[in-house]
Amino acid sequence: MSVAGGFSTLDRLRDFFYGLLEVRDRLRERGVKWPRPLEGVQTGTVRVKVGFPAMLKRGVIMDVTNVEQAEVAEDAGAVGVMVLDKLPYDVRRAGGVARMADLKMIEEVMAHITIPVSAKVRIGHYYEAVLLEAIGVDLIDESEVLTPVDEQHHINKWLFTVPFVNGCRELCEALRRISEGASMIRSKGEAGTGNVAEAVKHFKALYSAVEELAAAYRSGDEERLRDYARRCQVPIELVALTARMGRLPVVTFAAGGIATPADAALMMWLGADGVFVGSGIFKSQDPRQRAEAIVLATAHWDDPETVVEAQKMVSEKSAMLGIDVRTLKPEELLQTRGV
């Protein structure tokens, strides 16, 4: 049995929180500045910021653009919604600069539903995040779906009390985002395509690297962990924590191209804690049934009979048309933004 496998659930949670606190303290020792929090904004703790996403496990967070869609998501059993100006499929089609959704629309959604409400900001756009925190969203997605404002630097998420989620394609990228303060990680996939192939690729790359680190930890090969930390430009403490746990030390959802109940179950089988669904529901012809079916398949992914029932709730004829990722030009890929 692996070291990580011998831990009970409570032990894992304890390591989960205290390990991240250790990383934060190490970063402080290395000179990261900690400005005073904005007046009127309560100071969030690492425990709360990391613990909140943990309560969303086995759930579905759905992209929505208005109150009607948000209510469909809530009725279907989603654990949260992500408010955008346009669904990723439409962002891709519209072109131009994609920005944060209207604050009035986000507040309207917050006023009409009871489940957590999230919203996206552009990569590196500190002030869009300040605005979302000020109106009280539950989670901020620093997303490659929107047009980045800083190609070199992500937001310093330690400065905020609200938790952040970031996308990744592999382990180094995930660890960099966690070292910047992300409380939740998701695969990037290729948003707006209805093609889950890229999300599958990213999850396999992520957990293949985690397995290699865990093997190094079990064999006592500390130098290998240090080499990995240097290569990824992240603290060795974060790499060691990941290796010891045998997984990322934050909740990890799948995202990018999930369009069917079977897609959602596949990503859970690959190790996801839950799923984001972007265009797959509200670009289909059967959004209500599809939303309920994907929630069912995600929650019961390890029961094939239930997933069969969920898959029968929808028809392929009603699914979003989708885009073959291989037909996209390099400049049309969203997953390469903000690595």
Side-chain angles (χ1 to χ4, degrees):
M1 178 181 292
S2 69
V3 173
F7 280 45
S8 69
T9 300
L10 289 178
D11 285 338
R12 282 177 174 273
L13 283 173
R14 183 194 60 197
D15 285 350
F16 186 91
F17 294 128
Y18 285 99
L20 282 173
L21 286 169
E22 289 173 4
V23 170
R24 182 199 60 181
D25 292 341
R26 293 284 187 181
L27 290 172
R28 277 177 168 162
E29 291 172 3
R30 293 181 184 189
V32 175
K33 294 182 179 179
W34 302 87
R36 294 169 65 86
L38 297 175
E39 288 187 9
V41 178
Q42 292 185 333
T43 302
T45 66
V46 172
R47 182 174 300 190
V48 170
K49 290 168 65 178
V50 175
F52 163 67
M55 292 188 288
L56 308 178
K57 293 174 73 171
R58 280 189 174 241
V60 181
I61 298 177
M62 299 181 190
D63 283 357
V64 302
T65 60
N66 54 49
V67 172
E68 181 182 0
Q69 291 178 352
E71 290 176 335
V72 169
E74 183 174 43
D75 291 344
V79 296
V81 298
M82 180 75 66
V83 185
L84 296 87
D85 179 54
K86 304 179 188 67
L87 294 173
Y89 180 87
D90 295 322
V91 169
R92 187 180 292 282
R93 294 293 184 185
V97 176
R99 307 181 182 87
M100 175 184 69
D102 291 347
L103 294 182
K104 290 181 180 177
M105 177 54 68
I106 298 171
E107 289 181 317
E108 194 172 344
V109 170
M110 292 168 64
H112 282 81
I113 62 174
T114 59
I115 57 177
V117 175
S118 316
K120 291 183 185 292
V121 297
R122 284 173 274 178
I123 291 174
H125 204 309
Y126 166 81
Y127 227 89
E128 281 187 345
V130 168
L131 297 178
L132 290 183
E133 183 174 69
I135 66 171
V137 300
D138 298 291
L139 178 71
I140 295 175
D141 187 346
E142 188 180 16
S143 176
E144 69 282 356
V145 172
L146 307 185
T147 308
V149 298
D150 189 335
E151 297 284 355
Q152 302 299 321
H153 304 97
H154 284 67
I155 296 169
N156 180 359
K157 292 160 276 286
W158 294 110
L159 302 179
F160 292 82
T161 58
V162 63
F164 276 70
V165 57
N166 279 90
C168 77
R169 296 188 298 173
E170 41 78 34
L171 182 57
C172 276
E173 191 176 1
L175 295 179
R176 284 196 292 273
R177 300 293 86 80
I178 295 171
S179 70
E180 294 162 356
S183 304
M184 183 180 187
I185 291 294
R186 57 170 171 74
S187 57
K188 283 186 169 177
E190 189 56 40
T193 62
N195 186 341
V196 76
E198 293 301 295
V200 170
K201 184 191 300 182
H202 298 167
F203 251 79
K204 288 189 173 180
L206 179 67
Y207 277 99
S208 174
V210 169
E211 281 298 318
E212 291 181 10
L213 287 185
Y217 176 79
R218 290 192 294 269
S219 66
D221 190 351
E222 185 176 333
E223 189 56 34
R224 189 172 175 188
L225 301 184
R226 292 191 178 280
D227 285 344
Y228 196 83
R230 282 192 289 269
R231 178 153 59 89
C232 296
Q233 299 180 319
V234 296
I236 176 60
E237 294 84 359
L238 181 56
V239 172
L241 177 64
T242 302
R244 181 157 55 91
M245 295 181 71
R247 57 156 294 156
L248 285 181
V250 298
V251 169
T252 308
F253 271 39
I258 295 169
T260 71
D263 287 348
L266 172 63
M267 297 312 302
M268 296 296 288
W269 178 73
L270 288 173
D273 293 313
V275 302
F276 286 90
V277 182
S279 308
I281 291 173
F282 293 107
K283 297 306 292 185
S284 73
Q285 299 175 32
D286 54 355
R288 289 184 182 274
Q289 299 95 316
R290 193 165 297 268
E292 293 175 3
I294 290 179
V295 167
L296 183 64
T298 302
H300 300 283
W301 65 271
D302 48 356
D303 177 5
E305 290 186 4
T306 304
V307 178
V308 167
E309 178 186 343
Q311 188 68 24
K312 287 181 177 178
M313 292 168 63
V314 299
S315 168
E316 177 59 20
K317 292 182 174 60
S318 301
M320 68 177 288
L321 181 59
I323 301 170
D324 187 338
V325 177
R326 293 171 297 182
T327 66
L328 296 174
K329 299 175 183 176
E331 61 270 24
E332 294 175 323
L333 295 174
L334 303 180
Q335 62 180 275
T336 56
R337 294 170 165 177
V339 297

